[in-house]
Structures are given as C-alpha cells and as structure tokens.
Amino acid sequence: MIPVQRLNHAVLYVRDAARSADFYRSTFGFETVTELPGAAFLRAAGSSNHHDLGLFSVGPNAPGPEAGRVGLYHLAWQVGSIEDLRTARDTLRAVGAYVGESDHGATKSIYGHDPDGNEFEIMWLLPRAEWGEHEHDAVVAPLDLEAEIARHG
C-alpha cells in the first residue's frame, strides 16, 4: 500500500497554456511559478506546494472533454470558509464559467468550467465534528447557499 497524504498538484492538457494560465490567475488568484513555451506552472496564493496546477498546450484544434468518456471528471479546490463559496459563485458567474452547485452533506460545492471545458469544483468542507450521518454518504442535493452561510458563517 502506498501511504498517500493528499493530492499535491494537477496537470491539465489545454488548447493554449497561456490563455488558461490567465484564466486561473484572474479567477483564482493563482501565482505564476514559471511559464515556458506551451506550458505554465501555477501556485495558489498561500500554498506551500511548488505548484498546484500545471498546464500544457496541445493546440487550438484539440477536442474538449466529453461526458461519459474515460478521463478526468473534475478538480476540487477547497476554500477556507462557507462565505468563500458566495464569492466563488459570483466570480464564476461574472466570467461566464459557472455551471452549478450542490450540497454533498460534508461538503458544499460550486462548479465551473475553464476555457477548455475542464470542470472544477470549489468546495468548503464542514468541520469533521459536524459530518454526522454524512461520514459515509455520497449525497448530491440542491445547495441552499444562503441558508448554509447563515448556519456556518
């Protein structure tokens, strides 16, 4: 058994690494670690990782992600407070990247797409002591974000 602790970084193939890097910098506040021709490495503000996201260009005619095919479904970026989800939803709506939201019991989530159609999740994790019945559930329910902010904010 490999004793994995956490996901350190993700690497995505995108049509244009510079364009995608601009999206992640302006939408998430990622910092550039380095950019090379056809590649970019970014770090989330406050992260202790060397990089959290790598982007590699595969060209403007590359097909986008397709539902029901083998491959990445989404990445989940965790935020520190339930109020951060409101900011995430507002930001994603403003840039045309918002696709939905869900209540997963132990987590509350907002979803979006990057310029290449890669899906990502912005999620807030309830304190472990509050997971209760959701400890072993895989809930997918509508999110009432304002009610959750009132309860946990």
Side-chain angles (χ1 to χ4, degrees):
M1 177 174 56
I2 300 170
V4 171
Q5 295 179 343
R6 65 184 177 95
L7 179 66
N8 180 272
H9 67 272
V11 178
L12 299 175
Y13 288 122
V14 296
R15 291 181 187 94
D16 182 328
R19 179 188 70 170
S20 291
D22 286 343
F23 172 82
Y24 284 100
R25 281 190 294 260
S26 66
T27 305
F28 289 89
F30 276 43
E31 305 163 354
T32 300
V33 174
T34 190
E35 282 190 86
L36 308 165
F41 294 89
L42 307 173
R43 179 175 37 241
S47 173
S48 60
N49 290 334
H50 174 268
H51 63 280
D52 295 292
L53 185 62
L55 303 166
F56 287 86
S57 295
V58 293
N61 297 320
E66 294 182 39
R69 295 197 60 180
V70 172
L72 179 69
Y73 176 17
H74 68 257
L75 304 172
W77 306 105
Q78 186 172 340
V79 294
S81 75
I82 188 71
E83 292 89 353
D84 291 335
L85 288 185
R86 181 189 291 135
T87 302
R89 183 179 61 191
D90 293 348
T91 300
L92 295 178
R93 284 179 173 163
V95 300
Y98 172 84
V99 297
E101 52 195 65
S102 294
D103 183 337
H104 296 296
T107 65
K108 313 304 175 190
S109 302
I110 305 294
Y111 293 90
H113 284 156
D114 75 5
D116 290 288
N118 294 306
E119 186 167 312
F120 54 82
E121 174 183 356
I122 312 299
M123 52 81 62
W124 177 70
L125 180 65
L126 269 72
R128 183 75 183 253
E130 295 181 34
W131 289 6
E133 66 184 280
H134 301 299
E135 173 94 24
H136 301 285
D137 284 344
V139 176
V140 179
L143 177 64
D144 183 343
L145 186 55
E146 296 309 315
E148 294 297 338
I149 289 172
R151 184 175 320 148
H152 300 287

